[in-house]
Amino acid sequence: MIWLTLRQHRAPLIAMLITTAALAIGLAVMGAYAAAQRAALGVDTCVPLPNTNANCVDLSVEWQRRIGPAPFLLAGLVLGPALAASFIGGPLFGAEIELGVHRLALTQAISRVRWSLTKIGVVLAIVFACAIVLAQFGWAAIALNGLGGGIRSAFDTFEMEGPPVVGYALFGLTVGALLGALSRRALTGMFLGLLVFAAARVLVATDLRPSYEPPLVAYQNAMSSSPTDVAPKAWVLSSATVDAADRPIDYRAIDQLMRGFGPSVNAGGPRDMGEYLAILGVRQRVVYQPAERYAKFQWIEFGLFTGLAAGCTLLTVGLIRRRDA
């Protein structure tokens, strides 16, 4: 049964293996090249000229020119699981049921449960192996994104490396397989699988991931130019200027308060605008997830999508077991 499954789906599986190998080689070569060129040009150590940063901008532009379209390789890390959902998961059962060829397998000395589990298990094993390989190239994503120097969010490459990449791939395949078996149509399974996979990714990224643990809150000078000053490499969820009662305050109210800054200086008060506003209770509230939670959040997301994949697998097997041929 394993050999039959490999023979039936050899074309998409071979294509996936070749694509994974090509993407891995491309990321390894171009990631190292991008990092080397960035260091050679001194992009991350550039000191801006007085009153301008044109010299640093020129270095960054030259770096981008040298690496060319290499950053587009990162699309493979993002789109790979979606393509698995569409081109492999959708037709896995949908094509056979649509054409009726599954009846031949079910007339042999094999149960529906074994048939469905073997098919999805063999393909899942290959998808898992490919995802494990691609999950190792977070460093290349950092290099090609130009995030190697300075203060940046530790979460910038969250979806391009580590355990989540594996979870996405497993879920993408299984949700496509479930919808293909449910619709009994390959194209419908491909289309709906892609839509459901994308919707799940967006929902998790926008609504669930920021709340895996209660975010932290910090306050800083209202005149600070960057909210990450209070939490280096943190994932800043929101930043707002608030009053002494912790209520958001708009720019018109701040402008009204700032009119008293001049008289305050003349009266011997604070000479810094931010300090003056702090005395009045005006400050910047930053809600963030600290960088130390990055690894934990990655494993939480892996567990979430792997659990969804297991659920989709069980639903698919149950559906095939109970449905008429």
Side-chain angles (χ1 to χ4, degrees):
M1 186 63 202
I2 294 176
W3 176 247
L4 176 62
T5 300
L6 291 173
R7 290 276 297 174
Q8 281 184 307
H9 304 285
R10 62 185 181 277
L13 292 178
I14 290 173
M16 182 175 61
L17 290 170
I18 293 175
T19 302
T20 299
L23 186 58
I25 294 171
L27 287 169
V29 173
M30 294 308 301
Y33 176 76
Q37 290 299 312
R38 196 170 181 86
L41 290 170
V43 177
D44 299 318
T45 57
C46 176
V47 178
L49 296 173
N51 302 320
T52 180
N53 66 339
N55 59 319
C56 295
V57 171
D58 291 342
L59 288 178
S60 182
V61 170
E62 173 61 18
W63 174 76
Q64 293 174 1
R65 186 193 67 79
R66 291 189 182 186
I67 65 172
F72 287 107
L73 288 170
L74 300 180
L77 296 177
V78 178
L79 298 178
L83 295 178
S86 180
F87 290 99
I88 300 178
L92 188 61
F93 294 106
E96 288 201 27
I97 297 176
E98 181 177 5
L99 297 175
V101 296
H102 66 296
R103 295 188 181 95
L104 176 62
L106 298 179
T107 58
Q108 308 304 309
I110 183 173
S111 68
R112 293 187 178 206
V113 172
R114 182 185 171 190
W115 176 73
S116 54
L117 277 178
T118 302
K119 282 178 67 69
I120 200 168
V122 169
V123 178
L124 266 178
I126 298 175
V127 169
F128 178 78
C130 292
I132 285 286
V133 172
L134 294 181
Q136 312 304 314
F137 288 93
W139 63 270
I142 293 174
L144 292 172
N145 263 324
L147 300 172
I151 295 176
R152 66 176 185 88
S153 169
F155 291 78
D156 285 340
T157 57
F158 187 91
E159 298 180 336
M160 299 181 188
E161 66 172 342
V165 174
V166 180
Y168 301 152
L170 298 180
F171 173 65
L173 173 69
T174 54
V175 74
L178 171 61
L179 293 169
L182 186 64
S183 65
R184 298 191 177 197
R185 296 289 185 273
L187 288 178
T188 304
M190 292 169 67
F191 179 70
L192 291 181
L194 192 59
L195 284 184
V196 173
F197 175 79
R201 288 281 299 271
V202 171
L203 176 65
V204 169
T206 57
D207 295 339
L208 298 183
R209 190 185 304 156
S211 305
Y212 286 160
E213 283 195 15
L216 303 182
V217 180
Y219 296 91
Q220 65 181 30
N221 191 307
M223 294 292 103
S224 176
S225 60
S226 173
T228 54
D229 289 344
V230 298
K233 297 191 177 182
W235 177 20
V236 176
L237 303 177
S238 66
S239 178
T241 304
V242 297
D243 59 17
D246 211 33
R247 297 171 302 194
I249 182 172
D250 61 25
Y251 71 93
R252 287 171 296 210
I254 296 175
D255 184 62
Q256 187 68 28
L257 292 173
M258 290 172 63
R259 293 180 182 178
F261 178 63
S264 173
V265 172
N266 295 332
R271 296 182 174 276
D272 179 79
M273 180 70 74
E275 183 181 349
Y276 169 74
L277 290 175
I279 292 174
L280 298 177
V282 178
R283 52 199 174 157
Q284 189 176 28
R285 181 184 64 203
V286 182
V287 180
Y288 68 98
Q289 292 288 0
E292 293 76 18
R293 295 178 178 176
Y294 179 79
K296 184 176 183 179
F297 276 30
Q298 283 217 314
W299 283 108
I300 290 174
E301 191 141 322
F302 168 76
L304 174 62
F305 278 96
T306 303
L308 289 173
C312 289
T313 301
L314 292 176
L315 286 174
T316 302
V317 173
L319 180 66
I320 292 174
R321 180 175 178 270
R322 294 177 177 274
R323 207 164 198 180
D324 294 336

